[in-house]
Amino acid sequence: RIGSASSLSSAIINTRLQELVRLFKERTEKVKEKLIDSDVTSDDESPVASPAAAAVPAPGGELEGDKPLGDDHYCEMLCCTFKRRPWLEHLKSYQFPSSIDPLTNLMYVLWLFFVVMAWNWNCWLIPVRWAFPYQTPANIHYWLLVDYLCDLIYLLDILIFQTRLQFVKGGDIITDKKAMKENYLRSQRFKMDVLCLLPLDLFYFKVGVNPLLRFPRCLKYMAFFEFNNRLEAILTKAYIYRVIRTTAYLLYSLHVNSCLYYWASAYEGLGSTTWVYDGEGNSYIRCYYWAVKTLITIGGLPDPKTLFEIVFQLLNYFTGVFAFSVMIGQMRDVVGAATAGQTYYRSCMDSTIKYMNFYRIPRAVQNRVKTWYEYTWHSQGMLDESELLVQLPDKMRLDIAIDVNYNIVSKVALFQGCDRQMIFDMLKRLRSVVYLPNDYVCKKGEIGREMYIIQAGQVQVLGGPDGKSVLVTLKAGSVFGEISLLAAGGGNRRTANVVAHGFANLFILEKKDLNEILVHYPESQKLLRKKAKKMLRSNNKPKDEKGGPGDALVIPPKAETPKLFRAALAATGRMGGKGPLGRLRWRLRELQELQA
């Protein structure tokens, strides 16, 4: 028992001594590394975020996070109690803004929609009520009700909204109430708004309810064009609205022409000649049909008989040719602007195909080029993202780059702890590249001059004896090749082949771009050098320092002596034998001493 206890204590002592020796060696290596390379800093590579503060209880003894979001509101009606909706409370507590940004405020765009609806009521229905007998004493109160409702919208627009619109003066955004009101009163918009609300309705008492007296209401056209600009700015596919608006222009021209035709027919007398409207069927539909055939110059119309009819028809033909040609030209511009990107893509594709055919590029290569064009266009909507952003100021490009790429780059272990502004500068240097299936992103032995960030798709790292075994598959958000950005002295060669598994969108950061950025951030440069050296040492270190099953030792360990053979050797020693077993026992003792 005493011998076993002493052997156990000696084993513990040896283990502790070996641990101390290992710690001293590691400390010596760190001091040596610091003396050789002055850029190496302490082990605290990046500041550690302080733990979140403990939740402070409220004065009532309840944690702030446990408070209910809102109290339940109830109202009593008759004999029942109803729960009031929260939006009613928000509506009651809502305060109208003292100033409105006309460029970004969606509430103002919604208000402009109602103003434009009132303007369209006047523009479309004033000619109808003047020419056709649709306004009668029996329904006159309905027409007047909607008319004065539109006038109320015009008046609210002048008193509430237009006097609160912000404007820019000398580069400053003016939000002062008095200044905004004075700016509106001095504008051309105010003069037209006042003119469109002239109280010509007072003449109703003398001449009767004549819709032509409301014609000044159509002068509020500035609100219509402003609504178009604001709506196109918030729509994702504004060209659809432009096509609808251009079509509405054509329909309105035909609408006015149909009203004029009915007025001319009534002036000549309904059914008095073959040219005028005969008074049968739906008057508006029949006149609209005549206006379509006239303005589009289809032909097949009856010949005018009187001088008034001839002059009216000539003016119609001239107006129709001019209006129709203007509409066709505007429609062409709208469609051309909507398909400008598709036209550019098609021209690039045609030029590339013509170039490849001229130099007789193999058909397989041509097919891959065509596939790249098609996938890049359908996935990004453009061939080169930098062409879109080059017109923006540097600050706006940075904001877009942060929203698109910051979440991915900030997770790269190599850049954690670096200066935040350095990462922002690096985001602007990222370049998007599309790889086709089975394209080599990088090959083993190449000089690494860039780092790759997977935006979409997958890539496979190949290795093994044949170089075709899949070692690992990297997915979106993964990063590879980052050590090559800072490695030096031949340590920046690729160690494996990386192949795109399918279509892969990658961001590329080149080494020269990173070096240009690090000139302005020396502390981050030191940190990156240290991290790169540690990553290189970890990659070059054997996977299992204790020796694995495949390790080849210089002196293989001796096989354990069988128990029966050991018992025979012990008995020979006790008997003092000098035979073969005795010599073998003596030789075995020498080998044990040599191994020790």
Side-chain angles (χ1 to χ4, degrees):
R1 290 181 181 178
I2 296 176
S4 61
S6 61
S7 62
L8 180 61
S9 60
S10 62
I12 294 175
I13 293 173
N14 290 334
T15 304
R16 291 294 300 162
L17 287 176
Q18 292 176 3
E19 182 70 18
L20 289 174
V21 170
R22 185 181 63 81
L23 292 175
F24 276 118
K25 285 184 179 181
E26 289 182 358
R27 184 176 179 182
T28 304
E29 289 180 359
K30 289 184 179 180
V31 174
K32 184 178 179 181
E33 181 181 0
K34 189 172 183 180
L35 292 175
I36 295 175
D37 189 356
S38 60
D39 291 341
V40 176
T41 57
S42 61
D43 290 339
D44 299 331
E45 298 172 0
S46 58
V48 180
S50 58
V56 181
E62 188 179 33
L63 291 179
E64 294 182 358
D66 297 335
K67 284 186 177 182
L69 296 177
D71 298 332
D72 293 337
H73 301 278
Y74 294 90
C75 59
E76 296 182 358
M77 182 179 297
L78 298 179
C79 60
C80 302
T81 303
F82 299 93
K83 184 176 181 181
R84 289 189 294 184
R85 296 181 180 179
W87 65 270
L88 293 176
E89 294 298 324
H90 292 300
L91 188 62
K92 290 181 180 179
S93 61
Y94 177 76
Q95 294 182 354
F96 199 80
S98 59
S99 64
I100 300 173
D101 184 3
L103 301 179
T104 60
N105 196 315
L106 295 180
M107 182 192 66
Y108 180 64
V109 178
L110 181 61
W111 171 252
L112 284 178
F113 170 76
F114 291 109
V115 176
V116 169
M117 291 297 293
W119 178 77
N120 275 282
W121 167 269
N122 293 314
C123 290
W124 285 79
L125 292 179
I126 287 176
V128 173
R129 295 159 61 185
W130 164 72
F132 292 90
Y134 292 150
Q135 179 176 298
T136 62
N139 60 16
I140 187 65
H141 54 282
Y142 295 111
W143 294 102
L144 293 179
L145 176 63
V146 181
D147 285 344
Y148 293 127
L149 179 61
C150 295
D151 292 349
L152 178 62
I153 293 176
Y154 280 15
L155 190 62
L156 292 176
D157 183 59
I158 295 175
L159 297 178
I160 298 179
F161 284 87
Q162 297 301 321
T163 56
R164 285 178 165 85
L165 293 184
Q166 303 173 5
F167 65 98
V168 179
K169 183 178 180 180
D172 297 330
I173 300 177
I174 306 301
T175 57
D176 182 66
K177 293 183 178 180
K178 184 179 180 180
M180 290 186 295
K181 185 180 298 183
E182 292 177 354
N183 178 69
Y184 172 62
L185 296 178
R186 292 193 304 264
S187 64
Q188 183 71 19
R189 177 77 171 267
F190 174 71
K191 299 175 183 178
M192 298 301 297
D193 289 347
V194 172
L195 187 61
C196 74
L197 281 178
L198 285 177
L200 299 181
D201 303 38
L202 297 177
F203 289 99
Y204 285 173
F205 297 102
K206 281 192 175 184
V207 299
V209 182
N210 189 348
L212 285 181
L213 294 175
R214 293 186 55 82
F215 182 75
R217 303 297 189 271
C218 299
L219 298 178
K220 203 174 177 62
Y221 60 89
M222 289 186 176
F224 172 70
F225 291 111
E226 183 183 7
F227 175 72
N228 291 334
N229 295 333
R230 300 292 174 262
L231 187 62
E232 290 179 5
I234 63 177
L235 291 177
T236 55
K237 295 183 179 180
Y239 65 89
I240 298 179
Y241 174 71
R242 297 190 191 108
V243 171
I244 296 175
R245 186 182 62 203
T246 305
T247 306
Y249 290 159
L250 178 59
L251 296 177
Y252 183 73
S253 302
L254 299 172
H255 169 78
V256 173
N257 194 31
S258 64
C259 295
L260 291 175
Y261 175 64
Y262 185 88
W263 169 81
S265 300
Y267 178 79
E268 286 283 301
L270 298 179
S272 59
T273 64
T274 57
W275 182 83
V276 299
Y277 169 59
D278 55 6
E280 297 179 0
N282 188 296
S283 57
Y284 180 77
I285 297 298
R286 298 286 295 273
C287 293
Y288 200 92
Y289 174 74
W290 182 91
V292 171
K293 296 183 68 175
T294 304
L295 283 185
I296 306 180
T297 63
I298 296 176
L301 295 171
D303 295 331
K305 303 300 182 182
T306 64
L307 179 62
F308 175 79
E309 295 175 358
I310 293 174
V311 173
F312 188 90
Q313 187 71 352
L314 286 175
L315 293 176
N316 245 333
Y317 279 139
F318 287 132
T319 306
V321 171
F322 175 75
F324 194 68
S325 60
V326 170
M327 296 301 170
I328 293 297
Q330 189 171 2
M331 188 68 72
R332 182 202 61 187
D333 295 339
V334 170
V335 176
T339 59
Q342 185 74 23
T343 304
Y344 172 73
Y345 156 71
R346 181 54 55 188
S347 63
C348 292
M349 172 79 90
D350 294 341
S351 301
T352 305
I353 293 175
K354 182 179 179 181
Y355 173 84
M356 292 188 296
N357 290 334
F358 180 79
Y359 285 100
R360 298 180 179 178
I361 304 298
R363 184 61 58 183
V365 178
Q366 292 191 26
N367 292 336
R368 293 184 66 82
V369 172
K370 294 177 184 178
T371 304
W372 181 88
Y373 266 106
E374 292 178 1
Y375 176 78
T376 304
W377 175 257
H378 290 298
S379 62
Q380 299 180 355
M382 63 192 73
L383 297 178
D384 189 2
E385 295 179 354
S386 59
E387 295 181 359
L388 180 66
L389 303 177
V390 70
Q391 301 176 357
L392 298 177
D394 188 70
K395 179 64 173 61
M396 291 185 180
R397 289 204 304 268
L398 175 60
D399 293 340
I400 295 177
I402 290 174
D403 292 335
V404 175
N405 306 327
Y406 182 74
N407 290 334
I408 298 177
V409 177
S410 60
K411 297 177 182 178
V412 180
L414 184 64
F415 299 125
Q416 291 180 357
C418 294
D419 194 299
R420 187 181 181 88
Q421 188 60 41
M422 186 212 79
I423 297 180
F424 289 166
D425 293 343
M426 188 176 63
L427 292 176
K428 295 185 291 185
R429 304 295 185 97
L430 293 178
R431 181 167 52 90
S432 178
V433 178
V434 175
Y435 288 91
L436 301 183
N438 300 322
D439 274 355
Y440 277 89
V441 180
C442 58
K443 293 186 177 182
K444 183 176 181 180
E446 289 182 345
I447 302 297
R449 298 183 180 88
E450 55 274 315
M451 178 192 73
Y452 301 92
I453 303 174
I454 304 177
Q455 181 190 15
Q458 298 179 359
V459 298
Q460 293 179 339
V461 181
L462 305 182
D466 56 352
K468 296 182 179 180
S469 301
V470 179
L471 302 180
V472 67
T473 300
L474 304 178
K475 300 182 180 180
S478 301
V479 180
F480 60 95
E482 66 271 23
I483 302 179
S484 301
L485 295 179
L486 296 170
N492 57 342
R493 289 187 177 273
R494 305 295 187 189
T495 58
N497 296 327
V498 180
V499 179
H501 180 56
F503 290 97
N505 291 27
L506 306 181
F507 285 122
I508 295 179
L509 177 63
E510 296 185 357
K511 187 174 184 177
K512 60 182 182 64
D513 293 333
L514 181 61
N515 292 335
E516 293 175 359
I517 296 173
L518 290 178
V519 171
H520 307 286
Y521 304 95
E523 295 298 328
S524 298
Q525 186 177 16
K526 293 179 182 179
L527 180 60
L528 289 177
R529 285 182 181 178
K530 179 183 177 182
K531 286 187 175 183
K533 289 180 180 179
K534 285 188 174 182
M535 295 174 76
L536 283 172
R537 283 200 302 268
S538 63
N539 289 344
N540 295 331
K541 191 178 297 184
K543 294 183 179 179
D544 190 0
E545 294 181 354
K546 295 181 180 180
D551 295 337
L553 302 178
V554 177
I555 302 178
K558 179 179 69 67
E560 187 178 0
T561 306
K563 294 182 179 180
L564 182 61
F565 190 64
R566 284 205 306 269
L569 291 178
T572 304
R574 287 194 299 270
M575 294 172 60
K578 296 182 179 180
L581 288 178
R583 291 193 299 271
L584 185 60
R585 182 172 178 274
W586 175 78
R587 181 59 180 168
L588 183 60
R589 185 180 299 172
E590 285 186 349
L591 288 176
Q592 290 177 351
E593 292 177 357
L594 180 61
Q595 185 176 5

